[in-house]
Amino acid sequence: MPDTATWPPGAVLAIALLAVAASVFVVSAIASLVVRAVARRRSSANILIRRARWPFRTVLLIGGIAIAVALAFPDEPWRPVVDHAVLIALIGAGAWLVAQVLLFLADVGERRYDVGVADNRVARKVHTQLQVVRRLVVVVVALVAMGAILLTFDGVRAVGASLLASAGIASIVAGLAAQSVLANVFAGVQLAFSEAIRVDDVVVVEGEWGRIREITLTYVVVMTWDERTVVLPCTYFTTKPFQNWTKYGSALIGSVELDVDWRVSTDAMREELDRVLDGTDLFDGRTKVLQVTEATGGLVRVRVLVSAADSAALWDLRCLVREELVEWVRDQDRDALPHQRVLLGEAGEATTDEGRADAAPRARRPDDAAPRERAGLFSGSDEGEQRASEFTAAIPVVEPGVEDADGTRR
């Protein structure tokens, strides 16, 4: 066996570096083969390979370089400086590897919950929480790595005791200086785990309707319906009221209001509404109501309530219903068009805008005819009764002379 003590340091270093490179390649290849064998049964192993491949190789390479330098230059005076630099690099590479492994675990959690399905409330909750956890992991690992690097300096360790003594005052000063930043950070964590909002939730904030695109530790990104980006601090969602249209589900009820003449035929309008809703896939079949809500100012206000599976479908459905009913009034029931009436001549001689003072009255229901039962928002149908029960409860009425449960008579 040759005596390496008589070899020049450069030759020893070159041989050691070649050995390090070969060792890194062999170890990395073996680890890759093992993980790929696991990947045949679990596809998540491919994510681990993609994330941890280069951090793992970097850690092996830095460790090998440290060994090569120690073998080639065992007693050089500059060795402490090089060893210190190698230690700092090793801490940084190790932090990189740890962060990637933790992010791999977050990736595995996200893959278990698909947001592409129809009922994705739980999936969106998990994705929102993991989105915040990712950022926390990176921040915590980076802070720990920086602290470990600082502790490698003798000067920092020497003043550690005095720094700990003044840490209380420093934390108070830092907290006051970064009050808004820390408030947003805590608000971001609160939003992620309180489920007030989730990624892809439909919200109305500052009068803007859009979807939650991203939730970070300090701000929330909302993509509006017209593809504008609204960035709001996390404290906005913890201190101000806002609308979340997908908190418990995406189905919604919307209204369409029309001001028409008193001569409108509401029964014919209901038939037209049925025809319109039967011919579109936007209507989900839950709620279909046409009611007269006001009769003031010489006009009658008709309100139509319809439901859809989500907010986008509801918007299009409301526009469709409004357009079809407007065309129906214009083409099929011209008497329902809004009219302005004036009173001319002596009292009691009223004329319409068509100049017919003695127009024949419209047919009315006979006095003995029973009122037709119509479906309302809170009555007339099983869905309406169920909806009404959510706002009030039945109050028991005791008839006179009937004993209560406690035996008393009324």
Side-chain angles (χ1 to χ4, degrees):
M1 181 176 181
D3 186 8
T4 58
T6 59
W7 290 8
V12 176
L13 179 62
I15 295 174
L17 290 176
L18 290 175
V20 166
S23 301
V24 169
F25 177 79
V26 172
V27 174
S28 178
I30 294 174
S32 180
L33 289 175
V34 172
V35 175
R36 290 183 187 278
V38 177
R40 294 172 183 171
R41 291 175 295 177
R42 296 186 178 181
S43 58
S44 58
N46 291 321
I47 303 177
L48 179 61
I49 295 175
R50 186 178 67 252
R51 281 200 171 275
R53 176 190 297 145
W54 288 108
F56 180 68
R57 292 176 178 176
T58 303
V59 170
L60 292 179
L61 183 61
I62 294 175
I65 291 175
I67 296 174
V69 171
L71 292 176
F73 307 99
D75 299 321
E76 296 294 335
W78 43 263
R79 273 286 308 282
V81 176
V82 174
D83 292 342
H84 191 197
V86 171
L87 178 60
I88 292 175
L90 189 60
I91 293 174
W96 184 20
L97 178 60
V98 171
Q100 291 298 326
V101 171
L102 294 177
L103 292 177
F104 154 73
L105 297 177
D107 291 339
V108 173
E110 283 188 352
R111 291 189 60 181
R112 294 180 58 186
Y113 297 90
D114 184 14
V115 296
V117 297
D119 187 9
N120 59 358
R121 185 172 63 88
V122 176
R124 289 187 289 110
K125 177 192 73 172
V126 173
H127 278 245
T128 300
Q129 294 175 351
L130 290 178
Q131 195 174 90
V132 176
V133 168
R134 286 173 180 274
R135 290 171 172 82
L136 284 175
V137 165
V138 174
V139 171
V140 171
V141 171
L143 290 176
V144 172
M146 291 176 60
I149 291 173
L150 290 176
L151 289 177
T152 60
F153 294 91
D154 295 335
V156 174
R157 288 199 302 266
V159 300
S162 60
L163 289 177
L164 290 175
S166 60
I169 299 176
S171 62
I172 295 175
V173 174
L176 293 175
Q179 184 176 4
S180 60
V181 176
L182 294 177
N184 279 305
V185 170
F186 288 117
V189 177
Q190 178 183 347
L191 291 177
F193 292 94
S194 66
E195 298 186 51
I197 56 175
R198 300 176 293 264
V199 175
D200 282 342
D201 268 347
V202 178
V203 296
V204 178
V205 291
E206 296 293 318
E208 301 286 353
W209 171 52
R211 287 183 177 273
I212 301 294
R213 176 60 59 87
E214 184 180 5
I215 301 176
T216 70
L217 289 177
T218 55
Y219 63 87
V220 176
V221 179
V222 180
M223 185 67 67
T224 62
W225 65 273
D226 54 355
E227 298 185 354
R228 289 181 291 115
T229 301
V230 179
V231 180
L232 298 168
C234 290
T235 51
Y236 177 91
F237 294 92
T238 58
T239 58
K240 295 184 179 181
F242 62 94
Q243 299 181 37
N244 187 341
W245 289 6
T246 53
K247 171 68 175 176
Y248 298 108
S250 60
L252 294 170
I253 298 176
S255 64
V256 175
E257 293 186 334
L258 299 175
D259 288 334
V260 293
D261 192 78
W262 284 59
R263 293 176 293 179
V264 66
S265 174
T266 54
D267 289 336
M269 185 175 285
R270 287 190 180 91
E271 294 178 359
E272 176 64 14
L273 176 63
D274 292 339
R275 185 193 68 81
V276 172
L277 296 181
D278 290 341
T280 178
D281 294 332
L282 299 174
F283 179 56
D284 64 357
R286 292 186 303 114
T287 302
K288 177 182 60 176
V289 177
L290 189 149
Q291 294 175 312
V292 177
T293 58
E294 288 188 21
T296 58
L299 297 174
V300 172
R301 176 161 296 178
V302 176
R303 186 177 70 173
V304 177
L305 297 180
V306 290
S307 60
D310 53 55
S311 56
L314 179 63
W315 173 264
D316 290 339
L317 179 61
R318 290 171 59 199
C319 294
L320 174 65
V321 170
R322 186 182 297 110
E323 177 182 341
E324 293 290 337
L325 290 182
V326 166
E327 292 185 355
W328 176 83
V329 170
R330 184 191 64 205
D331 299 336
Q332 303 297 328
D333 193 2
R334 298 186 63 84
D335 288 342
L337 292 173
H339 294 79
Q340 294 293 331
R341 292 174 172 82
V342 294
L343 182 65
L344 298 176
E346 297 180 0
E349 296 181 358
T351 61
T352 67
D353 55 335
E354 299 174 350
R356 294 183 288 109
D358 56 349
R362 296 173 68 94
R364 294 182 298 176
R365 184 189 304 117
D367 294 338
D368 57 348
R372 294 185 298 273
E373 183 176 352
R374 299 187 178 95
L377 181 61
F378 299 106
S379 61
S381 64
D382 294 339
E383 293 80 3
E385 299 293 343
Q386 175 63 27
R387 192 178 296 111
S389 67
E390 297 177 358
F391 289 88
T392 184
I395 301 175
V397 178
V398 180
E399 298 180 359
V402 179
E403 292 186 357
D404 293 341
D406 56 359
T408 61
R409 298 182 61 85
R410 296 179 180 268

